[in-house]
Amino acid sequence: MNIYTIYAELAQGVKPNEFVERITEYFATLPTLQNFRITRMKLGFRSKNLGEWRIDMEFKTMQDLDDAMNHVLYKKDTMNTHIGFSKLVDANSLDHFLYRDYPDEI
């Protein structure tokens, strides 16, 4: 499994429940997304300066991840949902990571 992870802070004035609702709507438009998880720092406990929110998106293959990105780029409704989501987070706080299960099948 390939796990695309994002850490972010919410944009000023964004309510947590609104953020979760909007991102859930966005994920519903991604046909190759296997699973997702949205988590929030607890009591501010962290060892690095990472965003309070963590979003994990699971894709079976790298091709599935690429297909999801292409889907966002070429489908107007999906792009509008993505733009709407992007306005909910502080762009300066974004950190992106790509993980994989290990050992994985090659």
Side-chain angles (χ1 to χ4, degrees):
M1 196 63 70
N2 297 279
I3 303 119
Y4 182 58
T5 298
I6 299 171
Y7 284 92
E9 295 288 342
L10 299 186
Q12 189 170 355
V14 174
K15 295 183 178 7
N17 287 347
E18 174 190 8
F19 172 69
V20 172
E21 286 175 23
R22 298 284 293 281
I23 196 169
T24 301
E25 289 172 7
Y26 168 59
F27 287 160
T29 68
L30 303 177
T32 59
L33 180 65
Q34 297 290 309
N35 195 18
F36 70 90
R37 185 174 187 174
I38 303 167
T39 57
R40 189 177 186 182
M41 290 287 170
K42 187 169 186 172
L43 304 173
F45 184 72
R46 53 188 164 210
S47 61
K48 303 250 187 241
N49 192 23
L50 295 172
E52 180 180 8
W53 293 86
R54 177 179 163 164
I55 303 137
D56 291 320
M57 296 166 273
E58 294 183 6
F59 297 90
K60 189 170 186 173
T61 66
M62 287 297 294
Q63 185 62 56
D64 288 344
L65 175 57
D66 190 55
D67 290 347
M69 291 185 177
N70 283 326
H71 186 79
V72 171
L73 291 173
Y74 299 112
K75 301 285 185 191
K76 185 177 181 182
D77 290 341
T78 303
M79 177 56 97
N80 289 337
T81 305
H82 183 268
I83 291 169
F85 158 71
S86 296
K87 292 178 181 178
L88 300 173
V89 295
D90 176 357
N92 294 323
S93 73
L94 290 173
D95 286 304
H96 302 260
F97 301 89
L98 183 61
Y99 294 95
R100 64 187 172 128
D101 288 332
Y102 187 86
D104 60 349
E105 297 177 16
I106 297 181

